[in-house]
Amino acid sequence: LGARKHLEQTDLWDTAHRDEPQRLWGSFQRHLGETATAASPQGLVWRALSREHWRVFAATGVLKVVHDCIMFSQPLILEQLLHHLNAGRDRWLALGLAGALFAAAMLEAITVNIYFHALFRMSLHTKTQLLEMLYRKSLCVGSAVKAALGVGPIVNLQSNDAAKLWTVPTYLHMVWNGPFQIIVVMALLIRVLTVWPAVAGFCVTLAIIPVTMLLGRLLTSARRDSMAAADQRIKLMTEVITGARRWLVRVGEGFLDRGLAWLEASWVA
């Protein structure tokens, strides 16, 4: 269709009912009102988000456990298959183990795709709701607050900071799933390599954690500095555009006054 004509709004697919921004904002606003307290009369954002998305998050957690069990079953199935092939046992049983290995790989691919699809949709809903909330709050901010805060931080809140939360629901399960995977992998390593080689590998893994945390802190500091520079850049560009607009208005007023005077003189003549 795009090769034959310019695409218009009517040519696009309609948004699914559960993805409509009006519906998402109405549900989030209702949960935000339910979390209002004396200390926070406008409601608590994180509690409202948890009430809004806890069902999807819990369902994806169960799906993640199923996916991990299927993933860790594949080395065990492969081990049994190799034992049967080396021992020359029943070929039909070996064929069945090969089919089980193929089925496990297919189920792993299906579960991980469903898992990330649900979490990406949840991230999209979270981003939409937060952007709507920040946009509505920015409309209520007075000129004095805007002058004190600056345009740059407001724009960053509406775009960058809210967009960063896109990745939070996707990888939030790693808080509990990471230790779970480490424990299972350690058990499999002890089963194959005995205790001490597995403990040595575990110690190397623990030694990498502080290095990763240090790199994360350095990246966070660099990102904070870049955001401060972005605030100054946006503020400077706003001032330049505002000054250019005022200059054009003043110059235009002079041309307009001279043009009106010329027309008036021509009419009188």
Side-chain angles (χ1 to χ4, degrees):
L1 182 60
R4 296 194 300 269
K5 69 168 189 175
H6 293 289
L7 294 179
E8 299 178 357
Q9 188 70 27
T10 56
D11 298 326
L12 303 177
W13 292 98
D14 293 334
T15 306
H17 177 66
R18 56 177 175 171
D19 297 332
E20 292 180 353
Q22 296 85 354
R23 177 184 174 278
L24 294 175
W25 171 246
S27 178
F28 178 72
Q29 193 174 23
R30 184 179 69 255
H31 289 300
L32 196 63
E34 293 173 356
T35 59
T37 58
S40 301
Q42 296 181 350
L44 301 175
V45 176
W46 291 108
R47 189 174 296 177
L49 288 175
S50 62
R51 290 190 179 186
E52 177 75 17
H53 303 292
W54 73 269
R55 293 181 180 85
V56 177
F57 191 76
T60 52
V62 175
L63 191 62
K64 183 63 175 173
V65 172
V66 174
H67 166 265
D68 290 344
C69 292
I70 296 173
M71 179 180 64
F72 288 124
S73 68
Q74 295 182 47
L76 301 177
I77 298 174
L78 181 61
E79 180 185 8
Q80 294 298 321
L81 177 60
L82 293 176
H83 285 328
H84 277 78
L85 292 177
N86 292 330
R89 298 177 184 175
D90 188 4
R91 294 182 179 273
W92 290 105
L93 183 57
L95 185 61
L97 289 173
L101 187 62
F102 174 76
M106 293 297 295
L107 285 176
E108 181 188 0
I110 292 172
T111 51
V112 75
N113 277 278
I114 296 174
Y115 168 79
F116 278 110
H117 175 75
L119 285 180
F120 274 125
R121 186 183 289 271
M122 176 181 166
S123 301
L124 176 64
H125 292 178
T126 303
K127 180 181 177 181
T128 302
Q129 291 163 346
L130 291 178
L131 285 176
E132 181 73 20
M133 182 188 68
L134 290 173
Y135 181 74
R136 289 176 179 266
K137 283 186 174 294
S138 65
L139 295 178
C140 301
V141 174
S143 58
V145 177
K146 287 183 179 180
L149 185 61
V151 180
I154 296 176
V155 174
N156 286 329
L157 284 174
Q158 290 180 331
S159 58
N160 299 331
D161 293 349
K164 287 177 185 176
L165 295 174
W166 171 276
T167 58
V168 172
T170 307
Y171 299 102
L172 193 59
H173 281 299
M174 294 305 296
V175 174
W176 62 268
N177 188 250
F180 171 73
Q181 290 187 6
I182 291 175
I183 292 172
V184 175
V185 170
M186 283 296 300
L188 294 176
L189 286 177
I190 291 173
R191 179 174 174 270
V192 176
L193 302 176
T194 67
V195 177
W196 293 112
V199 171
F202 181 69
C203 292
V204 172
T205 304
L206 292 180
I208 294 175
I209 294 177
V211 178
T212 306
M213 294 178 62
L214 178 61
L215 291 177
R217 290 179 181 176
L218 292 176
L219 289 175
T220 303
S221 178
R223 191 179 298 111
R224 189 181 298 112
D225 295 338
S226 65
M227 293 299 293
D231 294 342
Q232 295 296 328
R233 176 178 57 83
I234 294 174
K235 185 176 181 180
L236 178 61
M237 290 304 298
T238 303
E239 293 177 355
V240 169
I241 293 173
T242 303
R245 187 182 302 166
R246 292 176 179 175
W247 180 80
L248 289 174
V249 168
R250 292 180 180 178
V251 172
E253 287 179 353
F255 281 111
L256 183 61
D257 291 339
R258 286 193 294 271
L260 290 176
W262 180 79
L263 288 175
E264 185 179 356
S266 61
W267 288 343
V268 172

